[in-house]
Amino acid sequence: MARKSTAVDPLRLDNQICFAVYSATHAFNRVYKPLLDRLGLTYPQYLVMLVLWERDDVPVKEIGEKLFLDSGTLTPLLKRLEAAHLVRRTRSREDERQVLIALTPQGHALKEKARSVPQSILAASECSVSELVAMKDEIVALRDRLNAVIGE
Amino acid sequence: MARKSTAVDPLRLDNQICFAVYSATHAFNRVYKPLLDRLGLTYPQYLVMLVLWERDDVPVKEIGEKLFLDSGTLTPLLKRLEAAHLVRRTRSREDERQVLIALTPQGHALKEKARSVPQSILAASECSVSELVAMKDEIVALRDRLNAVIGE
DNA sequence: TCACATTTAATTGTTCGCAATTGAATGTGG
DNA sequence: CCACATTCAATTGCGAACAATTAAATGTGA
């Protein structure tokens, strides 16, 4: 037959890795939702808290570099975390342009309640740790190549 | 030493596959942006057009099932596509609850301009087709397991 | 047939995500 | 020292994404 096989049609939705990644992001979000509701966090807020639990008193810029987000996203998000008494925002004294983000005691304490989250996600993925690590490394490598092209 | 290795700390940002997927989604978006700007589409609008280029005159519900999106997202998006004269929205005569989405001639014609997009993405990924297909299949399988847990 | 449940889109309100701009602080070259 | 560029956060505006609700059409059982 003369028709092009749908299996290799480059415009077919099911053939697009970007849609696989896009829809997997939403699937993760839906699994995280009930877990993070108990912590009073959204998923992007949870990511910011992961950064802060690793290192505290960090400028907005640095959070943005780690999460690939800009101030247009982070400023209002951080204000909501401040309103929830999880972080404090203070101008740096050495460089008044920077705003430093520090955890409050409640912010630190929330880490303990968060410890069970990764395990629940692992269970939901029905996947071995080694498989997930391998996939993660492949996806990160792809992401970094894509990001490199943007800077070109 | 007594400290837990950071390599296996489950709360470490870099160890989370969800963040790999989340950040890869944004990286894809940034690569798509200049390509889709030329078509006058956003990325979610492009996904809807992919669905319609495969099969036309489809109820909103069906688009939502294919893209894992609900009417709260699709209704305003489809109204914007209608305002751009790419689709028409008409109530089904057999079932007045359904709204059928059909391509306009301009909507059909846009497919030709879109044909170069997948190739540009492939180039940006700096990856062989077979590698991408393998990754895509893994990610889809993970997504489907996650979605299955949500319905539990 | 009729009360009731279900299905389907639309609507409302909140939170991301980003482009573009603004304004203040800092750095740099002459 | 001073004009100028750069850096950083905040702001504005728009388009998703989703929970929760609403309203209309359809389906179902007694």
Side-chain angles (χ1 to χ4, degrees):
Chain A
M1 10 184 9
R3 72 167 179 83
K4 182 189 279 185
S5 163
T6 58
V8 295
D9 180 352
L11 277 180
R12 237 184 104 81
L13 181 67
D14 289 346
N15 294 338
Q16 311 250 353
I17 188 173
C18 59
F19 175 63
V21 173
Y22 168 91
S23 53
T25 293
H26 296 328
F28 267 119
N29 244 307
R30 286 189 282 269
V31 174
Y32 268 105
K33 182 80 171 46
L35 303 172
L36 295 182
D37 278 351
R38 291 203 284 261
L39 306 183
L41 295 173
T42 65
Y43 181 70
Q45 290 169 4
Y46 173 70
L47 291 180
V48 169
M49 295 302 286
L50 287 181
V51 169
L52 295 173
W53 287 330
E54 283 182 41
R55 196 160 79 77
D56 210 349
D57 215 40
V58 165
V60 173
K61 183 88 194 307
E62 190 173 323
I63 299 176
E65 283 166 357
K66 287 190 174 159
L67 299 182
F68 306 97
L69 297 173
D70 68 4
S71 67
T73 301
L74 287 174
T75 296
L77 187 156
L78 291 167
K79 285 183 176 175
R80 283 187 281 272
L81 287 181
E82 188 180 41
H85 308 294
L86 295 173
V87 306
R88 265 191 308 270
R89 300 160 62 247
T90 55
R91 287 271 161 195
S92 164
R93 221 175 274 95
E94 304 91 69
D95 184 344
E96 296 258 338
R97 292 170 302 184
Q98 295 188 344
V99 169
L100 299 178
I101 308 299
L103 290 170
T104 62
Q106 294 104 304
H108 273 293
L110 196 63
K111 184 172 185 177
E112 297 315 308
K113 288 184 72 176
R115 287 199 190 283
S116 63
V117 171
Q119 207 167 9
S120 302
I121 297 298
L122 177 63
S125 74
E126 293 171 24
C127 217
S128 75
V129 172
S130 62
E131 281 176 303
L132 284 181
V133 168
M135 270 183 81
K136 184 210 71 184
D137 289 343
E138 282 186 274
I139 296 168
V140 164
L142 174 60
R143 176 199 72 195
D144 291 346
R145 287 197 298 275
L146 291 172
N147 278 332
V149 168
I150 295 161
E152 99 261 47
Chain B
M1 4 176 23
R3 73 167 178 84
K4 182 190 277 185
S5 162
T6 57
V8 294
D9 180 354
L11 277 180
R12 238 183 104 79
L13 181 67
D14 289 345
N15 293 339
Q16 310 249 354
I17 188 171
C18 60
F19 175 63
V21 173
Y22 168 92
S23 53
T25 294
H26 297 328
F28 267 119
N29 245 307
R30 286 188 284 267
V31 174
Y32 269 105
K33 182 82 170 48
L35 303 171
L36 295 183
D37 278 350
R38 292 203 284 261
L39 307 183
L41 296 174
T42 65
Y43 181 69
Q45 289 169 7
Y46 173 70
L47 291 180
V48 169
M49 294 303 284
L50 287 181
V51 170
L52 295 173
W53 287 329
E54 284 182 39
R55 196 161 79 79
D56 208 349
D57 214 43
V58 164
V60 173
K61 183 87 194 307
E62 189 174 321
I63 299 175
E65 283 166 358
K66 287 191 174 158
L67 300 181
F68 307 98
L69 297 173
D70 68 5
S71 68
T73 301
L74 287 174
T75 296
L77 187 157
L78 290 167
K79 284 181 177 177
R80 283 187 282 271
L81 287 181
E82 188 179 42
H85 308 294
L86 295 173
V87 307
R88 265 192 309 270
R89 301 161 62 247
T90 54
R91 287 273 163 195
S92 163
R93 218 175 276 93
E94 303 89 68
D95 184 344
E96 296 259 337
R97 292 169 301 182
Q98 296 188 345
V99 169
L100 299 178
I101 308 299
L103 290 170
T104 63
Q106 294 104 303
H108 273 293
L110 196 63
K111 184 172 185 177
E112 297 315 309
K113 289 185 72 176
R115 287 198 190 284
S116 63
V117 171
Q119 207 167 8
S120 302
I121 297 298
L122 176 63
S125 74
E126 292 170 25
C127 216
S128 75
V129 172
S130 61
E131 282 175 303
L132 284 180
V133 168
M135 271 184 78
K136 184 210 69 185
D137 289 342
E138 282 185 275
I139 296 168
V140 165
L142 174 60
R143 175 199 74 194
D144 291 345
R145 287 197 299 274
L146 291 172
N147 277 333
V149 168
I150 296 162
E152 99 259 51

